[in-house]
Amino acid sequence: MTTQTEVREKPIEDSRLYQLWSAITDTKALLKAILEESLEAVNATRGTISLVDYRTGELVTEFAAGVGWSEEKCGLRFKITHEPGNSISSYVAYSGMPYICPDVTKDPYYYPLFPDTRSELAVPLIGRGGRVLGVLNVESEKVNAFGKNEAKVLSALASIAAFALSLATHQTREKALIELAKELAATPDIDTLLEKVTEVASQLLDADDCSLFLLDKSINRLVLRASRGLLRSMVGKATYRLGEGLTGWVALNNKPARLNGVVGDPRWKGLYLELKPEEISAFMAVPVRGRNEVMGVLRVLRKKASLSAPHYLFSEEDEELLFTLANQLGAALEREELQRRLFTMQHIATIGELAARTAHMIGNKVFAMKGALKELGLQLSNLSLPESTQRLLGSVERALYEIETLLQDLRDFVKATQLNLQPVCLSEVVEELVQDYAQEFPQISFELQMDEQPVWVKGDVEKLRSAISELIENSVHFLKEGGKITVRLTKSTWVGQKHARLIIRDTGPGIPEKMKEQIFQPFFTTRAKGMGLGLAIVKGIIDAHGGTIEERGREGEGALFIITLPAIEPMQGGES
Amino acid sequence: MGRILVVDDEELAREAIKLRLERDGHQVDTAASEAEAIEKIRTANPPYDVVVTDMVMESENSGLEVLKAALLKDVLTEVIILTAYGSVANAVECLKRGAYDYLEKNIPGVDVYDLLALKVERAMEHRAESLGLLKRLQTYQQAVTVQEEPLD
């Protein structure tokens, strides 16, 4: 009892844990302590810790201790360079190596601050990926005051300082990412959101500029959607083709690019520049990934300043951060897309109803016209009319039939969007279809890949069946000589929602690039008899289910259709 | 030839069907709505042989109402339902409830008026057969009744 009371009375600030905790969270205090410890350990007169300002390429004196230093003297800036006379610290920041200066009077890098300084020792603070974060510098009134042993001791202390700095950066980044994630979830306006991402990316990565390109599928180009600096006026105008320039390369290959300067890189095209190419010292771009594909490219760059040494490149850690940002953005964009689709789904129903009513009315009129025309023809046939008049009657009749064909297409299209929604075991539907087709076409090899757990969706079983069989039918059509059709059904989670993902891939000729944009458009092709509903109607059915369908195959390698549908929890029993 | 009622809210269609069926020698009345059709069916004397009616007029089920009225008046009246886009399901429902047949108005490349004339012809035959059967049944019934009467 008494012991417990004693423990409680002891202030928390005195506890060892608290001290440890405040030491690692209070970076400033820790760096100051390291500096003081350094002076004592190597018996130095005075010392500084300077940190790299990545934007300007300068080394800034942040902490100083020892004889003759005052607060005002802090904040000194030195250009980071190997040129002489810019301070020893500046040279160490450039080289990334410890530096022992036995006699300042003979040293080319020395920059005089105190008249009594005779010798110096400077070690770099090296962060993850070999990046120089700053320099720990000590000096003495004696010549040749520091040797290898002192350098070792100082390096050890410098590594603690570097660790503390990395940790602080990490915490800042983490906090910013959490903040951003909150904003991404809450911001309804997509453009504000894109702006925010570029802003956060520039800040966290000490980048001079950040630009975001998103893929516009209708023109198949990457379009600049947000930028921080010079490119701001080009938003909506600057575009890259897939594969064009570094930005296009990143999108096409779905791979990041991280380089030291851009001049000389064969991929670089420099169509739209935040900076002059020779001013760019570091460039990094990562793909913004969606569920099925690359949605865009997020790129950052740093101005050259004098930071040309390799450790001023963007680090692996920076790349991870940019990826994290890009992934968050990808998820936000998908979510936006999801909402848009829901909206579309509700409107399809309304438009469908309107279209059905209109088709009905037009159909009635056409029916009446056909009748009137027929009677007219009969009455005219009693008179002796020239052949040209008969031909005219014929053309009117043919035109009416064409209207009826169009109406029939329209009706099929509208019907596809009128759903009778029920829980459907998609696995069962897919399995049955594949079995049926495999039996009917023994010359084609069918492969069915499915999760053991059945996948359920809320849908119209007949419509889904006809959509899927239309796709298989299409593949079969192009595999007259045999080949392979792979059907894969899996369940995946995206933006917090479970999705059924159905892939149908064949080894046929594939869809020509120039046709890809049009294949889902209604009335694009005059459908061949017996070819089923056509891809427009397949898309109509999938859209009405709140799903997506895309063709992602390459010409010459076969067609590849990906369907996603919102999944539901599996129902009891196997029947749908 | 037959007494036929053509029901359609589209005047042009009504007239075209009337002309076509008159060409085959039928006597054709027309009605422009479900209500008018029901009234004409009720007061017809003798009842119509065949009623050709559009499915969707005042309501989605106008055709069905006309069918009911026709069968109520004369259970052997044959009813042919005309459908435009989207009302096939209702027409099928009419078949279940005793309609003779249905016809889609818009079949590309097909002369639906000739098809309708053919269906009307068949319906007339069907009605004639049914009437014949009914007559035989009535004769039989009378014969049985006459035989059984003394026993009662």
Side-chain angles (χ1 to χ4, degrees):
Chain A
M1 183 72 189
T2 40
T3 332
Q4 275 184 358
T5 317
E6 271 171 9
V7 170
R8 274 195 191 146
E9 276 169 1
K10 190 176 167 188
I12 185 79
E13 285 77 13
D14 288 351
S15 77
R16 197 171 135 69
L17 181 67
Y18 184 84
Q19 283 167 7
L20 278 170
W21 174 246
S22 32
I24 54 170
T25 50
D26 187 349
T27 315
K28 237 176 167 175
L30 185 67
L31 290 176
K32 270 185 189 163
I34 287 171
L35 183 58
E36 274 156 23
E37 186 68 31
S38 302
L39 296 187
E40 211 169 294
V42 300
N43 207 9
T45 314
R46 60 181 78 87
T48 57
I49 290 180
S50 314
L51 300 179
V52 175
D53 181 341
Y54 293 93
R55 285 175 199 270
T56 60
E58 289 170 320
L59 193 64
V60 187
T61 315
E62 295 284 348
F63 306 99
V67 188
W69 276 108
S70 63
E71 285 285 323
E72 297 87 65
K73 278 191 176 167
C74 278
L76 284 170
R77 288 177 169 266
F78 295 99
K79 197 174 155 196
I80 297 172
T81 172
H82 56 81
E83 289 158 21
N86 272 299
S87 87
I88 285 168
S89 288
S90 157
Y91 175 69
V92 168
Y94 176 81
S95 72
M97 303 291 286
Y99 188 92
I100 301 169
C101 162
D103 184 354
V104 296
T105 59
K106 291 174 186 156
D107 197 293
Y109 302 114
Y110 179 67
Y111 178 89
L113 274 172
F114 295 93
D116 58 350
T117 303
R118 286 295 168 267
S119 60
E120 272 192 36
L121 168 63
V123 294
L125 311 183
I126 296 173
R128 240 180 82 181
R131 191 176 182 190
V132 175
L133 308 173
V135 177
L136 171 57
N137 179 311
V138 292
E139 52 190 64
S140 170
E141 301 153 308
K142 292 178 217 147
V143 176
N144 212 5
F146 310 111
K148 275 190 183 160
N149 277 338
E150 281 78 7
K152 247 188 217 165
V153 172
L154 215 61
S155 291
L157 286 161
S159 67
I160 299 173
F163 175 74
L165 283 168
S166 298
L167 191 70
T169 310
H170 186 74
Q171 282 170 340
T172 315
R173 287 180 172 191
E174 203 152 72
K175 213 171 142 192
L177 285 177
I178 292 168
E179 284 301 307
L180 182 68
K182 278 189 207 156
E183 283 195 49
L184 287 181
T187 311
D189 173 36
I190 197 85
D191 286 318
T192 316
L193 202 136
L194 302 180
E195 281 286 319
K196 186 75 198 167
V197 170
T198 55
E199 187 192 318
V200 171
S202 317
Q203 273 173 10
L204 291 185
L205 292 166
D206 295 314
D208 289 293
D209 216 332
C210 174
S211 298
L212 175 66
F213 289 80
L214 291 182
L215 185 65
D216 182 339
K217 277 197 208 159
S218 64
I219 53 171
N220 213 26
R221 273 173 167 270
L222 293 156
V223 181
L224 182 68
R225 293 290 303 271
S227 191
R228 302 279 307 144
L230 282 177
L231 273 191
R232 187 168 256 176
S233 62
M234 292 294 287
V235 167
K237 291 174 207 147
T239 64
Y240 282 100
R241 278 198 310 276
L242 282 177
E244 184 180 38
L246 262 171
T247 308
W249 183 89
V250 168
L252 184 68
N253 294 282
N254 193 3
K255 279 181 193 154
R258 181 154 56 93
L259 34 138
N260 180 13
V262 290
V263 181
D265 190 289
R267 296 168 295 185
W268 176 254
K269 202 148 184 203
L271 289 183
Y272 309 101
L273 299 175
E274 292 93 339
L275 295 166
K276 285 182 195 157
E278 61 272 15
E279 279 179 36
I280 298 171
S281 72
F283 176 93
M284 176 163 69
V286 298
V288 178
R289 289 168 179 161
R291 202 171 358 163
N292 297 326
E293 60 187 345
V294 173
M295 303 174 85
V297 175
L298 184 60
R299 71 183 200 189
V300 287
L301 43 84
R302 281 196 192 131
K303 219 182 249 180
K304 202 158 227 170
S306 53
L307 299 178
S308 53
H311 42 257
Y312 295 113
L313 271 174
F314 286 113
S315 64
E316 219 170 286
E317 203 178 10
D318 292 338
E319 190 179 304
E320 274 169 31
L321 178 77
L322 199 62
F323 253 124
T324 309
L325 283 169
N327 288 342
Q328 285 191 348
L329 178 65
L333 289 172
E334 289 271 355
R335 197 162 31 231
E336 155 102 0
E337 168 72 16
L338 214 69
Q339 276 165 0
R340 199 189 55 73
R341 235 183 296 135
L342 207 69
F343 189 72
T344 313
M345 206 175 134
Q346 287 157 354
H347 278 70
I348 283 175
T350 319
I351 292 165
E353 217 166 280
L354 190 70
R357 224 177 298 153
T358 310
H360 184 93
M361 274 157 54
I362 297 174
N364 265 327
K365 300 276 179 202
V366 170
F367 172 71
M369 283 165 76
K370 282 196 299 187
L373 189 69
K374 171 132 192 180
E375 295 307 318
L376 179 67
L378 274 171
Q379 288 180 15
L380 290 178
S381 67
N382 296 331
L383 313 166
S384 52
L385 285 167
E387 203 188 310
S388 61
T389 313
Q390 294 296 337
R391 271 212 306 277
L392 282 174
L393 279 172
S395 348
V396 176
E397 192 176 33
R398 270 198 306 283
L400 285 177
Y401 283 154
E402 273 166 34
I403 293 174
E404 286 182 322
T405 309
L406 280 172
L407 285 174
Q408 212 161 49
D409 282 352
L410 180 66
R411 176 180 54 175
D412 288 347
F413 194 79
V414 169
K415 262 192 184 168
T417 62
Q418 292 170 339
L419 306 179
N420 175 21
L421 290 175
Q422 255 150 24
V424 176
C425 180
L426 195 59
S427 307
E428 218 173 84
V429 173
V430 169
E431 196 173 356
E432 277 172 16
L433 277 172
V434 171
Q435 277 168 2
D436 288 353
Y437 277 100
Q439 242 167 30
E440 199 179 334
F441 300 97
Q443 75 276 19
I444 298 171
S445 116
F446 280 85
E447 188 182 335
L448 178 62
Q449 303 170 352
M450 285 202 299
D451 291 345
E452 242 172 70
Q453 183 89 22
V455 180
W456 285 73
V457 297
K458 195 166 186 189
D460 184 314
V461 66
E462 288 312 320
K463 302 257 161 67
L464 286 174
R465 188 175 285 137
S466 66
I468 298 165
S469 66
E470 170 69 15
L471 290 176
I472 300 179
E473 193 93 23
N474 258 344
S475 291
V476 166
H477 182 78
F478 288 106
L479 294 175
K480 292 257 163 62
E481 311 293 313
K484 189 175 174 185
I485 297 176
T486 311
V487 180
R488 199 170 151 210
L489 177 63
T490 51
K491 203 166 162 182
S492 65
T493 304
W494 191 259
V495 203
Q497 201 185 337
K498 287 197 170 60
H499 280 90
R501 194 160 188 268
L502 178 68
I503 297 178
I504 298 171
R505 179 202 293 266
D506 67 45
T507 56
I511 292 162
E513 290 300 328
K514 56 179 176 202
M515 265 175 66
K516 284 195 169 187
E517 280 176 34
Q518 296 161 306
I519 53 170
F520 291 117
Q521 282 174 17
F523 312 119
F524 165 56
T525 45
T526 40
R527 63 202 166 99
K529 288 277 169 225
M531 278 288 290
L533 296 166
L535 289 175
I537 285 170
V538 172
K539 183 170 157 52
I541 292 173
I542 301 301
D543 281 350
H545 279 83
T548 59
I549 178 164
E550 288 167 64
E551 204 288 319
R552 305 210 53 81
R554 289 198 180 179
E555 187 178 356
E557 292 174 18
L560 169 62
F561 286 94
I562 304 177
I563 293 176
T564 55
L565 292 164
I568 56 168
E569 288 306 310
M571 296 280 146
Q572 291 301 312
E575 290 300 308
S576 51
Chain B
M1 284 291 104
R3 267 172 58 76
I4 296 168
L5 178 65
V6 172
V7 191
D8 197 313
D9 52 359
E10 191 68 50
E11 191 190 347
L12 256 177
R14 222 161 45 229
E15 289 310 310
I17 298 171
K18 182 173 152 66
L19 279 173
R20 178 66 189 83
L21 295 180
E22 279 176 349
R23 206 138 46 73
D24 286 349
H26 299 295
Q27 187 202 323
V28 182
D29 274 355
T30 58
S33 67
E34 172 194 323
E36 192 189 339
I38 291 170
E39 187 53 33
K40 284 200 169 165
I41 287 167
R42 254 212 322 243
T43 54
N45 190 21
Y48 293 108
D49 297 315
V50 178
V51 173
V52 176
T53 178
D54 195 15
M55 184 67 222
V56 182
M57 288 176 292
E58 286 102 312
S59 82
E60 294 277 309
N61 284 319
S62 290
L64 193 61
E65 296 305 320
V66 172
L67 170 70
K68 279 188 202 160
L71 296 186
L72 201 66
K73 173 79 179 182
D74 176 358
V75 78
L76 296 184
T77 296
E78 302 294 355
V79 177
I80 296 172
I81 307 285
L82 296 174
T83 67
Y85 293 112
S87 49
V88 174
N90 303 19
V92 171
E93 182 61 28
C94 288
L95 290 190
K96 285 187 199 157
R97 307 266 192 112
Y100 173 69
D101 204 349
Y102 79 90
L103 179 67
E104 278 194 77
K105 285 177 169 178
N106 303 99
I107 311 172
V110 172
D111 187 332
V112 283
Y113 285 85
D114 278 356
L115 197 55
L116 177 64
L118 193 70
K119 289 196 182 213
V120 168
E121 225 52 61
R122 290 268 162 77
M124 290 293 298
E125 284 167 21
H126 193 248
R127 178 170 161 81
E129 279 168 25
S130 304
L131 280 169
L133 191 64
L134 189 68
K135 216 166 189 178
R136 276 172 62 189
L137 273 171
Q138 279 168 349
T139 316
Y140 173 74
Q141 194 76 42
Q142 271 169 10
V144 172
T145 318
V146 170
Q147 272 183 7
E148 283 176 355
E149 229 165 329
L151 291 176
D152 230 13

